[in-house]
Amino acid sequence: MRALLLAIAAVALLGVVMLALLAFALHGLAPDGLHVVINDRELSFGELPPLPDLGAGLGGLLAIVAAVIVIPVALLLGVLLPLLLLAGALLLLVGLALGVGAISMAPLLLPLLLLVWLWRRAQRRKAAAAQAARSRDAAADTIDL
């Protein structure tokens, strides 16, 4: 593993050196530009486009993409996903416990629910009877012509 890391570092260092030499050759050595001859054709790179500006723009764009997409996704998967899995597991356990508890408590809860329902029904009937009595009293006070 160590040898692999050293080989990768050596290749990266060689790439950095080659890029530095290329940048120096394009901007520092040739005052009138760079002339390359391939198969008796001369290519002149005297009027190079603004490569540093292009590189800075591309680097800025990649940084923005990393900040907008990569970092939130990495945080979501690395931090939030384990918390969501833990919360889901706890909710599942609580739901199972409440479900088993409801089933096991059914012999006690069903009669209690029946008593509550009967009590509420009696209250509704009393309220309806009181309202009917009020409407009868109001009707008795009026004279129909």
Side-chain angles (χ1 to χ4, degrees):
M1 186 70 179
R2 184 182 230 182
L4 178 66
L5 291 176
L6 286 175
I8 291 172
V11 169
L13 185 61
L14 182 62
V16 167
V17 168
M18 293 305 290
L19 283 176
L21 287 175
L22 179 64
F24 185 68
L26 289 176
H27 296 290
L29 289 179
D32 60 342
L34 181 67
H35 298 285
V36 177
V37 178
I38 300 173
N39 292 336
D40 294 333
R41 290 181 62 195
E42 185 176 341
L43 302 173
S44 178
F45 296 107
E47 299 297 324
L48 288 175
L51 290 178
D53 297 337
L54 183 66
L58 184 61
L61 181 67
L62 289 176
I64 289 171
V65 167
V68 170
I69 295 173
V70 174
I71 293 173
V73 169
L75 287 175
L76 178 73
L77 293 177
V79 176
L80 193 58
L81 185 63
L83 292 176
L84 288 174
L85 290 174
L86 178 67
L90 288 176
L91 285 174
L92 180 67
L93 289 176
V94 168
L96 288 174
L98 290 177
V100 169
I103 290 172
S104 64
M105 294 297 289
L108 178 64
L109 288 177
L110 287 178
L112 285 176
L113 288 174
L114 179 65
L115 289 175
V116 168
W117 179 71
L118 290 173
W119 177 64
R120 297 279 297 182
R121 187 177 72 166
Q123 283 184 338
R124 282 192 302 269
R125 284 188 177 172
K126 282 182 189 177
Q131 186 176 4
R134 275 192 305 247
S135 65
R136 270 186 276 134
D137 291 340
D141 293 340
T142 60
I143 300 172
D144 292 332
L145 297 176

